[in-house]
Amino acid sequence: MSLFPLDDLPRAPAALVRSPVTARLARRALTLFPLVLLAGWAVVDWHAVRDGTARLASADPRWLPALVLLTCLGWVNAAWVRQGAVPERLPAGPLLASQFAAGAANHVLPASIGAHAVTLRFLQTHGIPLARATASLALYSLVKPIAKTLVLLVFPVFFPGVLMLSQLVPGHRTLILITAVAATGASTVCVLVTVVRPLQRPVFGFVRTALTDARILHTRPSRVLALWGGAAVSPVLQATTIAAVGGSLGLQLSWAQVVFAFLAASTAAGAVPAPGGIGPVDAALVFALVGYGTPLDLATATVIGYRVLTVWLPLLPGMLVLTALVHRKVL
């Protein structure tokens, strides 16, 4: 007979985990976390928020309806692409709200971690298993750069006379850096899967799940259109918003020039993980606009104005929506 019966051992930790009070406190903490994250982000980037808002306030107000419409269409398109990556039919309203909240989370965490976390939780709460939800995110992440690259390659065919490829194509060092980052990531994954045997089964299982869902999706024309069409429209829609912001500030470039400048800049800087692409993409876009002959201050004002419109102004409402979705257990 044991001197220390198992029944006599304290079970407080398990009881604490299952306690309704603990669960309620944990949910309140998760509810407040987005607002705390927003406050910290605003303190760090306060000067950019203030200066960018002042620049946007000086824009031509006649462009305001178009700017608001384009910004809203961006969220609708994001929800459309997410639906295209899942065979099941998702509720349109909650899906759109989740993508509005995911956009806010995406701008405070690097490499789309925030948006993916929100979407992953949304898919799970709507009955999609973790493996298939993760496969959906992987498919979405794979399709987006492929679609953008295809648009980038096809665009000069339709607008050959207005594009200055020699000034916008990344330099040799940038191309080498992008290639090195991609090769390092792929090599690391291959080595880990090969050396760490416990990883092989879940990784291969994930790959099988992803391939199965991808095959099913590509037998449905509506899903193919949503996934690939939405992914191709997304960068063009973003660039059109930038062109509208530039037009309101007096930018003299054509729509095609701004679109191609954004495609080239975002492709070149996309290998650098930054919150929502802020930083590397902004710098590359300013450089691309200047390459077309735009004054540096106007190019900078255009990019900052775009960030104010699409990131900073929707950030607080987006975090409030995220908080509400967590509180209502939609996430």
Side-chain angles (χ1 to χ4, degrees):
M1 182 176 178
S2 174
L3 295 177
F4 302 98
L6 293 178
D7 292 340
D8 295 337
L9 292 177
R11 300 182 181 272
L16 185 61
V17 171
R18 298 189 183 95
S19 170
V21 176
T22 304
R24 196 179 306 116
L25 291 176
R27 181 160 294 278
R28 287 181 180 177
L30 289 174
T31 302
L32 294 175
F33 178 71
L35 299 179
V36 174
L37 198 61
L38 172 61
W41 184 86
V43 169
V44 172
D45 210 27
W46 171 247
H47 293 292
V49 175
R50 183 191 60 193
D51 296 343
T53 304
R55 289 178 184 272
L56 195 60
S58 64
D60 188 343
R62 291 175 294 181
W63 287 86
L64 183 60
L67 294 175
V68 173
L69 176 62
L70 289 169
T71 303
C72 294
L73 286 177
W75 299 320
V76 174
N77 185 71
W80 192 38
V81 180
R82 294 291 189 181
Q83 174 62 86
V86 179
E88 290 84 355
R89 181 69 177 174
L90 300 172
L95 176 60
L96 181 58
S98 73
Q99 291 312 293
F100 180 60
N106 189 49
H107 292 305
V108 292
L109 293 173
S112 300
I113 294 176
H116 287 334
V118 172
T119 303
L120 181 65
R121 184 58 185 164
F122 175 80
L123 295 176
Q124 285 186 276
T125 57
H126 284 79
I128 299 178
L130 177 60
R132 294 188 53 243
T134 307
S136 171
L137 298 184
L139 179 62
Y140 171 87
S141 301
L142 179 64
V143 167
K144 278 192 66 178
I146 293 176
K148 182 191 291 186
T149 303
L150 293 176
V151 174
L152 177 63
L153 295 175
V154 171
F155 208 80
V157 176
F158 295 96
F159 301 95
V162 295
L163 304 176
M164 297 181 293
L165 296 174
S166 60
Q167 297 187 27
L168 295 178
V169 173
H172 294 296
R173 293 184 178 180
T174 302
L175 292 175
I176 291 174
L177 175 62
I178 294 174
T179 304
V181 171
T184 301
S187 301
T188 302
V189 172
C190 292
V191 170
L192 286 176
V193 172
T194 303
V195 174
V196 185
R197 290 184 175 275
L199 288 178
Q200 294 179 1
R201 185 172 181 179
V203 168
F204 291 149
F206 168 77
V207 171
R208 283 194 298 270
T209 300
L211 291 177
T212 300
D213 272 15
R215 179 182 57 80
I216 294 173
L217 287 170
H218 285 81
T219 61
R220 302 181 182 181
S222 61
R223 294 295 188 268
V224 174
L225 179 62
L227 180 61
W228 288 95
V233 167
S234 180
V236 177
L237 192 58
Q238 290 177 272
T240 303
T241 307
I242 295 171
V245 172
S248 69
L249 295 172
L251 186 69
Q252 298 301 314
L253 299 182
S254 67
W255 172 81
Q257 288 174 319
V258 176
V259 171
F260 190 76
F262 174 77
L263 290 171
S266 58
T267 301
V272 181
I278 297 176
V281 174
D282 289 352
L285 181 56
V286 170
F287 170 79
L289 295 177
V290 171
Y292 274 124
T294 303
L296 179 60
D297 58 344
L298 180 56
T300 303
T302 298
V303 174
I304 292 178
Y306 168 73
R307 286 301 182 186
V308 169
L309 179 69
T310 60
V311 177
W312 297 327
L313 292 182
L315 197 54
L316 178 58
M319 286 299 186
L320 292 176
V321 170
L322 179 58
T323 300
L325 292 177
V326 172
H327 181 69
R328 295 184 180 184
K329 300 183 180 181
V330 177
L331 296 179

